[in-house]
Amino acid sequence: MGCGEDPVPTIAGGDAAEGRRIVAAQGCTACHVVPGSGAPQGHAGPSLQGFARRGYVAGVLPNTPDNLIRFLRDPAAIAPRTAMPAPALDDAQLRHVAAFLVTLR
Ligand code: HEC
């Protein structure tokens, strides 16, 4: 882990602006504080502020773009007792969401 100077990882096919829209539209903010989403924000899940600096996804997987996408595709497969439901997103949308999350420092 660097000291905050690491470049934002690129995620093939991922568009951060599109990911931000999906996060607001999919109700992620019902459970997560998401910086810049402008939507009502809940606290059932951890704040996603500073997510790019987190060492692990859900405290389980090293925080790499691939692992992030794996978690988002099926959270319970990674963290069996998690309260997070699997988002109804296809792979292209998951890539956009991941591309947005890795910009949150
Ligand atoms: C019903 C509440 C709920 C909803 C809706 C929800 N999440 Fe979560 N999310 C959680 C909880 C609870 C955790 C903690 C998981 C764990 O550590 O087991 C979590 C964890 C995460 C993590 C890992 C955070 C970390 O610091 O490791 C990410 C990333 C994430 N959610 C993104 C999303 C996105 C994107 C959406 C919308 C598509 C979403 N969540 C919708 C409850 C929710």
Side-chain angles (χ1 to χ4, degrees):
M1 290 286 113
C3 2
E5 304 300 322
D6 316 308
V8 173
T10 1
I11 294 177
D15 174 348
E18 184 59 28
R20 182 191 297 269
R21 277 192 292 277
I22 294 169
V23 163
Q26 284 292 319
C28 312
T29 52
C31 293
H32 293 285
V33 170
V34 183
S37 70
Q41 313 212 308
H43 292 88
S47 170
L48 297 181
Q49 170 138 44
F51 178 75
R53 293 170 181 271
R54 203 101 11 117
Y56 290 87
V57 179
V60 180
L61 290 177
N63 187 3
T64 64
D66 280 354
N67 283 341
L68 173 57
I69 291 169
R70 272 175 67 196
F71 172 78
L72 292 174
R73 185 177 291 133
D74 189 0
I78 305 301
R81 298 193 304 183
T82 189
M84 179 161 156
L89 299 175
D90 64 25
D91 267 35
Q93 292 172 312
L94 288 172
R95 287 180 169 277
H96 296 323
V97 169
F100 168 59
L101 294 177
V102 298
T103 67
L104 301 177
R105 294 190 168 237

